[in-house]
Amino acid sequence: MIAYETQLKIQALLDDELSPSDARRLAETLAQDPEARALLAELKGTKAALKSFEEPFTLPETREFFWSKIERSIQAQPERVVAGAPLWVAWRRFLVPVSSLAALVLLALLTLLGPGGKGPEFEAALSDPGAFTYRDYSTGATLVWLSYPAENEFAQEEPTDTIE
Amino acid sequence: MTENDHSSTDDQTLVRAAQKGDMAAFEELVARHRDKLYARAFSMMRNEEEAVDLSQEAWVKGWQRLGQFQGESSFGTWMTRIVINLCLDQLRRQKRQRTESFEAINEESGGVERQMPVVVPNPTAELERAELRQRIDQALNQLSHEHRTALVLHEFEEMEYKEIAKTMDCSIGTVMSRLFYARRKMAALLAGLKKEDLR
């Protein structure tokens, strides 16, 4: 019986996936072993049979009917970003959370590095992850930072930039 | 632009038009490649209804991802890869849902194909074309989905071992084993051997 590794190498030879050195060694085995040659012949026969097997399958639905289902599904999907659309549209979902995070980091740094006494505070409203409030008690200033355009249910409303 | 205008347009131009949102151009692409996609889905699923549904789903996905198509392969090849991935996902879901048969477990653990008698002479030499087609069809039905997929991807999609491994999310060694088992079992089935002869 041929070793399993050799059996797989015979297959790899047929599929042109064997290294040149392995192919040379296997050629010697094939020359000496009729069982190995028989296996190669069988694998070749199966491969040839499958190659000649042109699947005669055609879609069992008319062009119009099949397309109508696809068209309906496409129209039910959220609008695709088509080629040539403004880059801003594609990057918006990425930019909003990143800029929010940057604002958080900046405010945290201000808090840590600011003067002593009652330092500034910031808070994020959980119901609106795009809004942050910054309060500096030493100057009595309040800054509300809003992402724009908004990604929530208030997106259609007029945006508020800064409240002092 | 009407449908007739698109019928003489090449795929590349149609793809560019579809990428800009031209649904009529996309419809022409669907008409051109739908049989090929359906055939690939059917060869993997062996079920007409599932093959229709999955090829339809592939077209919807294709439309959604059209912006990612760079033209490195032909549009038909790109779409075929989408339907293959959808079929693999579906087959994996089905496998998780069903209890594997004892035979399937045996096949996965390997070994049976090593002891199969070599079929000589060429098992298909005496068969008429129609009979050969029927036997191949029946034999493909009898393979497990892993073995059938490896065979379909290698023989019909002409993928290399490495590419099959990536597509099927397994090692190259597993691909070689699955392919070997599938071929040996196909040879036996094509030769008309009974199941007990394979043991």
Side-chain angles (χ1 to χ4, degrees):
Chain A
M1 161 141 291
I2 317 164
Y4 187 54
E5 195 188 338
T6 308
Q7 293 184 24
L8 291 182
K9 279 185 180 173
I10 290 171
Q11 174 182 246
L13 179 75
L14 179 71
D15 293 332
D16 204 20
E17 296 254 9
L18 207 58
S19 68
S21 56
D22 276 346
R24 275 194 299 275
R25 275 195 291 274
L26 189 63
E28 289 167 21
T29 307
L30 285 166
Q32 292 161 10
D33 188 345
E35 200 185 348
R37 286 198 299 277
L39 176 62
L40 180 62
E42 183 204 274
L43 291 170
K44 270 184 184 168
T46 309
K47 192 178 175 80
L50 283 164
K51 274 272 177 247
S52 68
F53 177 67
E54 284 292 328
E55 292 156 286
F57 308 113
T58 49
L59 194 76
E61 289 181 358
T62 63
R63 172 175 174 159
E64 291 74 22
F65 181 64
F66 187 62
W67 171 248
S68 70
K69 291 194 296 179
I70 293 168
E71 195 176 28
R72 270 202 305 276
S73 299
I74 286 173
Q75 283 164 353
Q77 302 279 323
E79 199 174 333
R80 189 190 74 190
V81 177
V82 296
L87 198 61
W88 167 252
V89 176
W91 280 81
R92 203 176 78 170
R93 285 184 182 277
F94 169 74
L95 286 174
V96 169
V98 168
S99 56
S100 302
L101 187 65
L104 274 173
V105 170
L106 179 66
L107 291 170
L109 283 172
L110 280 172
T111 308
L112 291 170
L113 302 174
K118 190 174 183 183
E121 290 179 357
F122 71 90
E123 58 189 50
L126 289 175
S127 59
D128 187 358
F132 300 94
T133 305
Y134 169 83
R135 287 196 191 92
D136 189 338
Y137 292 100
S138 62
T139 59
T142 301
L143 183 73
V144 179
W145 192 90
L146 297 162
S147 62
Y148 179 81
E151 286 279 299
N152 56 24
E153 67 270 28
F154 304 113
Q156 301 307 315
E157 294 178 4
E158 282 293 308
T160 307
D161 291 324
T162 308
I163 300 163
E164 193 156 41
Chain B
M1 201 177 257
T2 65
E3 274 179 29
N4 288 340
D5 290 329
H6 281 314
S7 61
S8 56
T9 312
D10 62 84
D11 274 14
Q12 213 178 347
T13 311
L14 289 172
V15 169
R16 276 200 299 271
Q19 282 174 328
K20 288 175 185 160
D22 185 343
M23 290 277 271
F26 191 66
E27 197 264 340
E28 177 63 28
L29 287 166
V30 172
R32 283 183 195 181
H33 299 282
R34 62 184 214 139
D35 284 344
K36 155 86 171 142
L37 253 71
Y38 168 72
R40 183 56 60 247
F42 186 82
S43 67
M44 290 177 74
M45 306 305 297
R46 314 304 298 172
N47 178 294
E48 190 177 291
E49 200 179 329
E50 277 184 305
V52 171
D53 287 348
L54 287 165
S55 58
Q56 183 192 327
E57 197 182 330
W59 284 112
V60 176
K61 263 205 161 52
W63 169 263
Q64 289 292 323
R65 295 177 184 176
L66 213 47
Q68 296 167 20
F69 177 67
Q70 303 293 318
E72 285 161 5
S73 60
S74 73
F75 178 72
T77 302
W78 184 72
M79 279 305 307
T80 307
R81 295 293 185 270
I82 293 179
V83 83
I84 286 170
N85 286 334
L86 285 173
C87 289
L88 283 169
D89 287 346
Q90 177 70 3
L91 288 166
R92 285 182 192 123
R93 271 195 297 274
Q94 287 174 355
K95 191 177 177 181
R96 276 199 295 271
Q97 283 164 5
R98 70 166 189 261
T99 308
E100 285 183 53
S101 68
F102 179 65
E103 184 184 7
I105 293 165
N106 262 353
E107 285 178 9
E108 275 305 295
S109 62
V112 177
E113 72 278 18
R114 302 174 206 185
Q115 282 106 44
M116 283 182 193
V118 172
V119 180
V120 276
N122 183 346
T124 63
E126 304 301 316
L127 298 177
E128 291 294 328
R129 188 163 177 78
E131 194 187 348
L132 173 63
R133 192 186 294 279
Q134 196 185 2
R135 286 230 189 146
I136 290 175
D137 202 36
Q138 285 169 351
L140 282 170
N141 268 334
Q142 291 185 47
L143 295 177
S144 73
H145 87 76
E146 288 92 351
H147 296 111
R148 187 168 57 243
T149 301
L151 203 58
V152 165
L153 296 183
H154 192 272
E155 301 299 352
F156 300 149
E157 288 301 318
E158 298 180 343
M159 285 187 187
E160 293 177 355
Y161 292 169
K162 196 165 72 176
E163 207 179 349
I164 299 172
K166 195 177 163 193
T167 305
M168 295 186 75
D169 195 22
C170 63
S171 69
I172 290 177
T174 303
V175 170
M176 291 172 80
S177 294
R178 285 178 181 173
L179 205 50
F180 188 68
Y181 177 89
R183 281 170 162 159
R184 300 239 49 211
K185 188 159 183 182
M186 283 290 288
L189 291 166
L190 291 173
L193 295 179
K194 293 188 180 120
K195 203 171 182 181
E196 46 271 23
D197 295 328
L198 305 179
R199 305 279 168 186

